Amino acid sequence: MQCPGAQYLASAERTPQQREWRPQLYRKCTDTTWLFLFFLFWTGLMFITGYSVAAGATARLLFGYDSFGNVCGQKNSPVEGAPLSGQDMTLKKHVFFMNSCHLEVKDVRLSSTVLCVASCPGEQLDTLEEVQLFADNNGSFLCVYSLNSVNYTQNPNADSLCPRLPVPPSKSFPLFNRCVPQTPECYSLFASVLINDVDILHRILSGIMSGRDTILGLCIFALALSLAMMVTFRFITTLLVHIFIALIIVGLLFVCGVLWWLYYDYTHDLSIELDTERENMKCLLGFALASTVITVVLLGLIFVHRKRIKLTVELFQVINKAISNSPFLLFQPLWTFAILISFWVFWVAVLLSLGTAGAARVIEGGQVEYQPLVGIRYMWWYHLIGLIWTSEFILACQHMTVAGALVTCYFNRNKNDPPDHPILWSLSILFRYHQGTAIKGSFLITVTRIPRTILMYISSALEGKQRGPWSRCVCRHCFCCSWCLDKCLRQFNQNAYTTTAINGTDFCTSAQGTLQLLSKKSSHLTSVQCFGDFIIFLGKVLVVCFTVFGGLMAFNYNRALQVWAIPLLLVAFFAYFVAQSFLSVFETVLDALFLCFAVDLETNDGSSEKPYFMDQEFLSFVKRINRVNAVRAQGAEHASRNEEGAELQPVIR
């Protein structure tokens, strides 16, 4: 990318005076090396995309395939050495297991022959005559393709070419369109072999595909909740804050209680036999414990900060006035959301293709099996890094766009004549000068996310094996420390992005200047800012909690044949990103506003020569905070003197 070069951007003040902090005065391309590295990284992602398209076969995963390499429900190309391959299965959309009641896994593959059939047998078939009659009446042939239906009862090899009798009744379940036996004894064995003994990636993908309608509905629900929270913060009042906090308290207690009730219901359900159901129960216990801890912590914080509600309402009124100078900031999350959704759809499509990438190999009996290609798992990890890094880069661009628009409006002398199109101006500055800074900051977040992802992978791989208490404790402490580091670094990055929007410096210089500046800021203002961030965080908690609760209620009705812990985590991840995208506008404006205020105090003194950039309403709000804290300090000092005087008072008898 060719740098447009350094450019002086005169503010409304139009003073060329050089200072350490130069709001809106100087621009240059920042962190260009990281822009080049990101381009190289995406070149690798494009290679993986092309490879997955060329080598993958998503249709095998979505529609299922038989033992001869034919994908059910579509026309197929022949496989050399497999005479029964290359058939037209357009009318045969269901996967049928010839030995569904006695499935076994030998050398990581099923021992039963698998066929594509037109329909699943709805009633039990006890003899070959009944199998032949079913084929003639329904056009669904349950024996190997090479055997004609008229020879079902005459061919001496029919016992090996036809399903094992009796054929149990079955119906098509939306898990790869497989014919699932309905008799209890066959159902339990079939499900245990089909689900518990396949590769972990396919189990995850099967859970996602089987619950795709529920996942889509929950994602729409999370989007609606995020929009409702954004409207709430936009038109916030004291009464609305009290209602919002009351709703948070009731919601946390209700969700926590329902989670424990569902866990109790699972533990007393004697029909639980599958490993997937037991995994769901363990996941439910984890959700219940986590929600209990979060509920206790949040209720304690709400109780401690209950007296700051009035100041918080005034703070949000100041934020909303800043947003009113550029009202289209509220629509910025919609573009971010659309870009994130497009990228995630692309990412999932490539993941599905990678999961099915395999080379066809003909084995005994003319059957076909698919062996994973070399290096696929390394591509999965590279692909995962691409998901985290690119998602964080998109969110970083949103933050810099919002912060840049606010900075443009804040450092404007004539408040009655705000700048034209501040969002477009901020976007142009971002893409012309500061993409490298956003890439570098998002990479730091990615670096902290990767160890946590590896820890989760190791923990899941060791689950079920004997581990000592020390190993569990170390793993949990490492996970907790990486989570705390991620949160601290995220706030650190956001301040650095805002400083880059103000001063036009690179990431490291901006981060250093931010730390020096914030160390001088009043602790009273910091506490009010932190409580404002806490209220916004509660909005995100509300969105995630109610979305997860809806997912639990929806997935709870389909306990078997579905690893719904993974889809539920995916929904929670999506709900958090949606809430973060929408509510981060207020969070970004809040943090950027106080950082602009700190820069204003650093570069100006309020005199006629150096007047403040802040408007009168913000200045009045800061003065009210100082007066409130001065009164509290005087009261505390007076109480301390009284206690000290009481201690020195002589005791008269």
Side-chain angles (χ1 to χ4, degrees):
M1 176 180 177
Q2 185 176 0
C3 175
Q7 177 183 1
Y8 285 91
L9 303 174
S11 66
E13 184 181 13
R14 297 188 182 279
T15 55
Q17 183 180 1
Q18 295 293 322
R19 302 171 184 161
E20 185 178 357
W21 285 88
R22 301 162 297 178
Q24 299 288 93
L25 287 178
Y26 185 74
R27 295 287 172 192
K28 66 177 182 179
C29 291
T30 56
D31 299 302
T32 52
T33 303
W34 285 92
L35 182 60
F36 178 71
L37 291 176
F38 194 63
F39 173 77
L40 291 180
F41 180 83
W42 258 89
T43 302
L45 282 182
M46 289 297 99
F47 170 78
I48 291 178
T49 301
Y51 183 82
S52 66
V53 171
T58 310
R60 291 206 310 267
L61 179 66
L62 297 178
F63 307 116
Y65 60 99
D66 63 13
S67 298
F68 308 101
N70 300 298
V71 178
C72 301
Q74 67 179 37
K75 294 182 179 180
N76 297 274
S77 301
V79 177
E80 186 178 356
L84 296 181
S85 63
Q87 300 193 33
D88 185 359
M89 298 295 179
T90 306
L91 300 178
K92 300 178 179 181
K93 300 181 179 180
H94 304 279
V95 181
F96 175 74
F97 295 84
M98 292 178 57
N99 196 11
S100 59
C101 288
H102 303 85
L103 286 180
E104 293 181 1
V105 176
K106 296 180 179 179
D107 298 328
V108 201
R109 63 186 180 90
L110 292 174
S111 59
S112 173
T113 302
V114 183
L115 302 175
C116 295
V117 297
S119 62
C120 303
E123 298 179 356
Q124 180 168 304
L125 307 177
D126 297 310
T127 63
L128 288 176
E129 287 78 7
E130 293 181 0
V131 174
Q132 182 179 4
L133 183 62
F134 176 78
D136 295 337
N137 293 337
N138 298 277
S140 185
F141 306 98
L142 305 183
C143 296
V144 176
Y145 309 133
S146 59
L147 182 63
N148 194 291
S149 61
V150 297
N151 298 323
Y152 282 3
T153 58
Q154 301 174 3
N155 193 302
N157 298 323
D159 291 340
S160 60
L161 299 177
C162 291
R164 184 170 180 176
L165 300 175
V167 180
S170 60
K171 67 178 182 179
S172 181
F173 190 80
L175 178 63
F176 298 172
N177 295 323
R178 283 169 168 78
C179 293
V180 180
Q182 298 303 295
T183 56
E185 60 276 7
C186 290
Y187 170 82
S188 178
L189 179 62
F190 177 87
S192 298
V193 174
L194 182 63
I195 295 182
N196 297 335
D197 294 326
V198 297
D199 185 77
I200 183 64
L201 176 68
H202 288 173
R203 292 177 62 185
I204 293 173
L205 296 179
S206 67
I208 294 174
M209 293 305 301
S210 60
R212 57 188 180 273
D213 295 334
T214 304
I215 292 174
L216 179 61
L218 291 172
C219 291
I220 296 174
F221 179 63
L223 176 61
L225 280 179
S226 299
L227 289 172
M229 286 296 100
M230 189 172 66
V231 173
T232 300
F233 287 133
R234 181 65 179 89
F235 302 101
I236 199 165
T237 61
T238 304
L239 177 62
L240 203 57
V241 170
H242 283 90
I243 295 175
F244 171 72
I245 292 179
L247 184 62
I248 283 286
I249 295 173
V250 173
L252 286 172
L253 294 175
F254 181 73
V255 170
C256 186
V258 169
L259 284 169
W260 284 112
W261 174 78
L262 288 175
Y263 176 71
Y264 175 82
D265 185 51
Y266 259 88
T267 54
H268 290 77
D269 188 354
L270 300 179
S271 64
I272 292 181
E273 298 179 358
L274 301 179
D275 287 347
T276 54
E277 293 175 319
R278 288 190 287 269
E279 287 180 8
N280 291 339
M281 185 174 65
K282 292 179 182 179
C283 182
L284 196 58
L285 176 61
F287 276 121
L289 291 172
S291 66
T292 302
V293 173
I294 292 173
T295 299
V296 172
V297 172
L298 291 182
L299 291 181
L301 290 174
I302 290 173
F303 178 78
V304 170
H305 295 289
R306 67 190 184 281
K307 295 182 179 180
R308 294 184 177 271
I309 292 178
K310 186 176 180 180
L311 280 177
T312 303
V313 173
E314 295 181 8
L315 174 62
F316 274 95
Q317 289 174 351
V318 172
I319 293 174
N320 287 324
K321 183 177 180 180
I323 293 177
S324 65
N325 293 328
S326 183
F328 286 101
L329 280 178
L330 295 177
F331 295 97
Q332 183 63 30
L334 293 176
W335 295 105
T336 304
F337 177 75
I339 295 172
L340 281 174
I341 287 295
S342 302
F343 170 67
W344 289 342
V345 168
F346 161 77
W347 187 86
V348 170
V350 175
L351 177 66
L352 292 175
S353 297
L354 283 177
T356 57
R361 186 173 71 93
V362 180
I363 57 177
E364 59 181 355
Q367 296 187 3
V368 177
E369 69 174 7
Y370 293 91
Q371 291 184 330
L373 299 177
V374 179
I376 286 293
R377 293 193 178 272
Y378 297 105
M379 292 185 182
W380 289 345
W381 283 107
Y382 191 94
H383 197 50
L384 178 63
I385 295 173
L387 170 68
I388 300 174
W389 194 0
T390 306
S391 299
E392 292 297 336
F393 169 69
I394 294 171
L395 292 176
C397 288
Q398 174 186 287
H399 184 97
M400 293 195 71
T401 301
V402 175
L406 179 70
V407 166
T408 303
C409 295
Y410 186 96
F411 292 102
N412 174 45
R413 287 296 183 196
N414 189 359
K415 300 300 181 182
N416 296 323
D417 185 21
D420 295 331
H421 311 297
I423 298 178
L424 294 178
W425 177 253
S426 179
L427 280 172
S428 66
I429 292 297
L430 168 63
F431 287 108
R432 292 170 66 187
Y433 299 107
H434 304 313
Q435 286 189 80
T437 300
I439 291 170
K440 185 175 183 178
S442 58
F443 178 77
L444 294 179
I445 298 292
T446 305
V447 169
T448 61
R449 287 278 182 93
I450 292 174
R452 188 165 49 160
T453 305
I454 295 175
L455 284 174
M456 293 175 62
Y457 178 79
I458 294 175
S459 179
S460 62
L462 296 178
E463 190 171 351
K465 300 181 181 179
Q466 292 184 352
R467 289 191 297 166
W470 282 106
S471 62
R472 296 195 194 96
C473 182
V474 169
C475 185
R476 290 171 183 172
H477 276 77
C478 292
F479 185 81
C480 182
C481 291
S482 64
W483 183 84
C484 294
L485 177 62
D486 175 81
K487 295 303 176 184
C488 294
L489 189 59
R490 188 176 298 277
Q491 184 63 39
F492 177 79
N493 280 5
Q494 290 177 357
N495 289 331
Y497 296 151
T498 304
T499 303
T500 298
I502 295 173
N503 224 30
T505 50
D506 59 68
F507 183 84
C508 293
T509 304
S510 298
Q512 181 181 4
T514 302
L515 291 176
Q516 295 175 352
L517 187 64
L518 294 181
S519 63
K520 305 175 185 178
K521 193 169 66 170
S522 170
S523 60
H524 305 313
L525 292 175
T526 303
S527 64
V528 174
Q529 178 186 356
C530 290
F531 187 67
D533 288 331
F534 176 67
I535 293 294
I536 298 173
F537 174 73
L538 287 181
K540 301 175 187 177
V541 170
L542 184 68
V543 173
V544 175
C545 283
F546 278 93
T547 304
V548 170
F549 169 71
L552 284 171
M553 298 305 294
F555 289 120
N556 184 57
Y557 289 104
N558 189 18
R559 296 184 175 184
L561 279 179
Q562 189 171 185
V563 187
W564 54 254
I566 298 299
L568 192 62
L569 289 175
L570 180 64
V571 167
F573 175 78
F574 178 84
Y576 172 77
F577 259 104
V578 171
Q580 172 71 19
S581 298
F582 280 83
L583 300 184
S584 62
V585 171
F586 297 93
E587 191 175 14
T588 302
V589 171
L590 173 62
D591 296 340
L593 195 61
F594 275 91
L595 192 56
C596 289
F597 170 73
V599 173
D600 201 2
L601 293 182
E602 183 75 12
T603 56
N604 301 294
D605 54 14
S607 63
S608 57
E609 292 81 11
K610 295 181 180 180
Y612 292 127
F613 282 98
M614 72 184 82
D615 57 17
Q616 290 300 318
E617 184 174 351
F618 189 29
L619 185 59
S620 300
F621 171 71
V622 173
K623 290 180 178 179
R624 279 196 298 274
I625 293 177
N626 292 332
R627 283 198 300 268
V628 169
N629 287 283
V631 171
R632 289 180 180 175
Q634 290 177 1
E637 184 179 357
H638 182 69
S640 177
R641 288 179 180 177
N642 288 340
E643 292 177 1
E644 185 177 344
E647 292 175 0
L648 297 176
Q649 206 172 28
V651 179
I652 300 176
R653 300 188 179 183

